[in-house]
Amino acid sequence: MHYEGEMILDAPLQKVWEFVSDPRSTPEYVPLLKKLEIHDEKNFTVMVGIGVGSISGTFKLDFVIAEEIPPHSCKLVATGSGIKSTVELEAIVHLSEAPDQKTSFKWSAEAMVAGLIAGVGQRLLGMAAEKTMNEVFARMQTSLERKDAEHAGQAAEASESNQAM
Amino acid sequence: MPKKWVGTSIKRKEDESMLTGEAVYVDDIHLPGMLHCAILRSDYAHANIKSIDVSEAKKLPGVIEIITGEDVKEYPLTPGVEKSAFKMKSPAKYAYPLALGKVIYAGQPIAAVAAVDKYIAEDALDLIRVQYEPLTPITNMEQALSEDAPLIYPEWEGNVQLEIPTKAGDVDAAFAEADRVIKVKIGEHRYGSFQLEGRAAIADYKPRAGTLHVWLSSQASSAPRAYFARTLKIPEQKVNVTVPCVGGAFGTKLNWSVETLPCLLSMKTARPVKYIENKIETITIGPHARDFVYHGEIACKNDGTILGIKADVMYDAGVECSYRGTAAAKCLIMMRYFLGQYKINHYTFLARAVVTNKAFQCSYRAFGKEAGSRFAERMINIVARELGISQEEIRLKNFIQPEEFPYRTASGALYDSGDYPGTLKRVLKLADIPSLREEQARLKEEGRYLMGIGIASFVQPAGAAVPEGYLNGMEGATLKLMPEGGFKLLTAHCTMGQGIMTTLAQVVADEFAVTPGDVNIIVGDADKAPISMGGFSSRGAAWVVGAVVTVSRKLKEKVLKVGAHMLKVEKGEVELSEGKVQVKNDPSQSLTLQELATTVHFWPGPLNVLPADLLYTDPSLDATAYWTAPNPPVSWTVPSNLYATHPNGAEVATVLIDKETGVITVPKHFVIYDCGTLINPDIVKHQYIGGSLQGINGILNEEICYDENAQPTTTSYMDYLIPGSHEMIGKTVFEHQETPSPFTPLGCKGMGEAGTFGSISSVMNAVEDALGITITKTPLKPHTMLAYIKEAQEKGTL
């Protein structure tokens, strides 16, 4: 199955890249993330809650960062299982500059789903993927804004303390 | 005169128990220390298994045991039908209760868990890691037969499990003589029965005693006892199978491969293990049925006389069609019955069972006979339309005639009795065809609905004895006259909705001139009763009733002999009447059965009561007897008769097709059905109507779908459309006809599968009557019908 989409994030390209290319930020934007294990620079495992139609449960996905062209693109390959299902996933993310210091986030994914989810939820998978991605982007945006604010706060604090000195 | 119970529509004795929840099904049984089994099933339809890791799952508190393919290597499944019987290729290497190295359909069991409750067992499945190496799956017959198709069984040269060409007469001469040769394509999609109760089993293995007791939702008890004994390598004398109430089966519970898993887990844990299938498993694994396509060329005269047929059937059996289901052999039945009720003596026929990466198949109201019937009943209509003659006329022209019975068809079947023209004429009158045609014309004028009138006239083979397999011809029963004067009938036959607790009591009641209330039926326990092949192939009324009549008459002889001795008259001078043995010309000299039985057993006991020859050889008031059909099948080869009886029927169905939505409804259904001597006419009628609904909804709405990876996509009742109140048949007018069979003691013929024979054909023929074109694609869902309506509009046949 093929999925794709595009969103505009209100943050500059470099900042978005730093955020999304670091697996440690995944808890901030992946909904229902139950566990993250970072094995090394290229490999990490997530346990994530998934709900499709009448089925819900936990999926364990092993990710490999297969290709990276900073700050523009990366390719992720994942295999995983859970909820009596197996998935093989290949996802590509393309970032590019958009007007007004924004960033275009284009993504596409090829998923091979087998087992219960394929049987029960196949027709619902597209909708579920879209809904999840919307939430991912919303959370990304919030995180990026919060980082901005924190950054600004830290900067203000720093300048205050500087003044105090 | 004593009342005759056979032929009377008394109320079913079993219903109150079932309706109030008193009846016991497998899931109602709880044994001390019982574990619960859940099965990890393959995500892929075709893949090598690289590894299975159960270590994490085993750590889950409450998990007691997990088995995988490696643990069951010593237990290959036993085939239902011996492969050598008809040159069927064997998939033995892949036939284990759990996958070994490779999976060949989505849903194939890979691991089985036993845990202290079913929730923990299910949770454990998620902790088992399986690494697959996906292989290209085969999703349909065309792909299976293509040159570069992957092989499901690499040892075979191709994906055909069974290929049998047959012929009869001189088909070339028949075709040379023909005015017309008409081509037909007749097929049906894959669907299934999905009864309320799915597969269910409790296995209780006692390691010190070495015994295995299985409570099983099954259509048979004797056969699975032998099956488990052989598959699990336990001596059969130490195995018992008990079949309590069964919540529907329809042919799907004649294979017990999954049920070996709770047995194996019980053998490992020395605790009872229960397995209750969930609904997703029921729908995706089935076993399913249908999925066949016939191609035929019909040589005929312009007057409708059919001279000969060249045909073949391709049957998509899914996988494992001899070790799990027994489906490959079905195409031999499709071959044997494709001639229907018609006198056609010249044909060539090629039967082929093709394997694909879909779930295995088994029977579903019926085992390929319904498909044979479909060819005959659809073919004859298509030919009639091509020739411009009526559905009625073409049938009457080609029927086997009443005086020709017993009739041996060119394909080897032996039809016992019937009156095919008479049955058809009765249903035509019952339906009042001229008034239906008027209604059709009026609706056409009004414009919203297209009405169609379809006829079907079918023969329904009933009562199989399957040579060289577990479902062979052997039927026994034990009857006891209890000390208190009532009767216990013991049969290993199973109750799954047929009404046997009532009908068998009616049969015994008539033999002893008592009431059905005086007879209690003990069913479904292999160890309590002699061998019974169980309930399948509409065999109860032929085989089980055959055994019950035989044992009743055997015991009756003894009772009359004892009664005469006690009344001090000759045996020929007594008779049974209203629960008594009495002297024929002097009813004042009589003994109730209770007086007789109590006297023999207890007061004063046998010594001073029984005649000397009985006292020292056979003092009991019990009897055991077996029955087998006088027209037994001897082999699978043609010509050979596989079925004891051949009921027949004729139907008229009307359909209304909504031109705007494509939705089909069936407002009227007229039936004349002849299953020989009737035991309980209402039970026959209502089984027939239930079966018709199954048939009609199957052809209109139900379908098992797979995607391009052979993943099942109809896995719940959101996608798989079982009938609701909207799908009910509007009005059924049902009448009986009784042409007794010469081959059974009471003249009864089996009837359980009848509903799916005529109903599907008559509805499809009605749809074609409405549209004036030939239908080849099923199910007839609204979007399919909209396309057909468009086609008919373009062809100008509306």
Side-chain angles (χ1 to χ4, degrees), chain B residues 554-570:
Chain B
K554 188 173 172 186
L555 181 58
K556 190 162 110 183
E557 281 301 298
K558 209 165 17 166
V559 168
L560 287 173
K561 190 169 177 181
V562 173
H565 185 75
M566 288 166 73
L567 291 166
K568 299 187 170 50
V569 294
E570 290 299 310

Side-chain angles (χ1 to χ4, degrees), chain A residues 9-114:
Chain A
L9 290 168
D10 191 2
L13 174 66
Q14 187 61 35
K15 201 165 167 184
V16 173
W17 173 259
E18 280 167 16
F19 181 67
V20 301
S21 63
D22 182 355
R24 281 169 301 185
S25 8
T26 48
E28 295 186 41
Y29 61 83
V30 176
L32 301 176
L33 185 89
K34 294 184 177 170
K35 198 171 169 190
L36 167 70
E37 282 174 44
I38 296 173
H39 309 298
D40 56 42
E41 280 184 355
K42 297 282 180 199
N43 294 282
F44 61 101
T45 298
V46 296
M47 301 270 278
V48 62
I50 285 181
V52 185
S54 54
I55 330 162
S56 60
T58 304
F59 233 82
K60 183 179 173 187
L61 285 156
D62 295 317
F63 277 92
V64 181
I65 301 172
E67 282 173 34
E68 244 182 333
I69 308 173
H72 288 293
S73 75
C74 67
K75 179 172 156 186
L76 294 166
V77 177
T79 57
S81 64
I83 330 175
K84 295 179 190 162
S85 309
T86 303
V87 69
E88 286 177 34
L89 183 76
E90 200 175 287
I92 296 171
V93 171
H94 279 286
L95 301 182
S96 57
E97 282 173 352
D100 303 327
Q101 287 282 300
K102 293 181 183 176
T103 304
S104 150
F105 186 114
K106 271 192 191 168
W107 63 279
S108 66
E110 284 296 336
M112 166 109 169
V113 184

